[in-house]
Amino acid sequence: MAAIPQDLLDRIRDLERRVHELTGRANIRPALNQITHGAVQIGEGGSLDVRSPGGAQVLGVGQFSTGRYGVSMEREDGTGIALEVGGNATNAAQMIRLYPRGGYPSTPIVMDDAHADGYLGRPWVPIPLAPSATVTAADWTTTHAGTVWTQHAMLVAYWSIYAPSGTTAEARLVVNRGGSLTQLGDTVTASGKEIFTAQRIAPRTHGLAHGDTGVLLIQARRTAGTGTAISWCQGMWGTHTANPAEAGA
């Protein structure tokens, strides 16, 4: 029998040991519920869907039914979506929206503007103005004034002018930006009755960027007769755009 070098036998035994080790490790499955390091990438239209035992989608990340991508978070008790980032229809920019219980998808309580970048969409913010005032002067007289710290793209104003029989009066809405007055919309004329107006004023008209301050004024004057005219403000708010045209897009 040929002599076999002792070191060769030792090497064979070591090789056998290593093969057994590798075989054993190959049969050990890694934990499927842990990621200890490195990035996780879901691509090619994939999504992540986390659901509560009751079936509510607590977290959804990926492609929505609209075809766009976003993140959705629902309440575990099944009362509806609480937060949505993106994923909305393609006719609006991707938004951040917060919903009350049972309010999805039509009544978000907090959101940015879908069409006017940089503005708040909801909540709408009222703009307080001074109470109504009487007018007898022929010159423009400020009857209401209120300072706005702009949060929304749109201004919505409801106001009116009253003139008794035999008297004519005019009223207008203006914004004072750094001492420069700009009329917002048409002049409203009343004669022997009260005339109501409702205005939606877009950014290209009021010229106020998010965070800008301005003073909104209702001004009135008597143009005929001797009666006393009265100007009223029923309400004024900041609100979101309804379409791209209002945003000036």
Side-chain angles (χ1 to χ4, degrees), residues 48-226:
L48 174 64
D49 188 349
V50 180
R51 293 185 178 269
S52 70
Q57 187 187 50
V58 179
L59 174 65
V61 182
Q63 191 173 33
F64 284 50
S65 60
T66 60
R68 303 180 82 178
Y69 289 81
V71 178
S72 176
M73 297 179 67
E74 186 172 338
R75 296 175 178 85
E76 181 271 338
D77 59 6
T79 53
I81 300 293
L83 169 67
E84 214 170 58
V85 181
N88 48 279
T90 56
N91 61 353
Q94 297 226 313
M95 293 183 287
I96 298 175
R97 291 172 290 177
L98 292 175
Y99 294 92
R101 288 183 295 277
Y104 182 84
S106 58
T107 56
I109 54 176
V110 177
M111 70 179 191
D112 48 359
D113 197 296
H115 306 289
D117 294 344
Y119 290 95
L120 178 67
R122 292 187 183 181
W124 301 345
V125 178
I127 302 166
L129 277 79
S132 63
T134 59
V135 175
T136 56
D139 296 327
W140 286 115
T141 303
T142 297
T143 60
H144 300 76
T147 300
V148 55
W149 185 7
T150 308
Q151 300 296 312
H152 300 80
M154 299 295 295
L155 293 174
V156 174
Y158 292 86
W159 53 278
S160 62
I161 178 69
Y162 164 77
S165 178
T167 299
T168 301
E170 295 179 334
R172 65 183 185 179
L173 177 65
V174 300
V175 60
N176 183 338
R177 298 192 305 267
S180 176
L181 295 182
T182 301
Q183 183 166 335
L184 305 176
D186 298 330
T187 299
V188 177
T189 301
S191 183
K193 58 183 178 180
E194 185 174 12
I195 300 296
F196 292 85
T197 186
Q199 293 177 278
R200 287 182 62 86
I201 304 155
R204 60 180 175 274
T205 300
H206 61 66
L208 297 169
H210 182 271
D212 284 353
T213 57
V215 178
L216 295 169
L217 308 169
I218 296 177
Q219 297 182 327
R221 65 184 179 183
R222 188 176 65 187
T223 58
T226 58

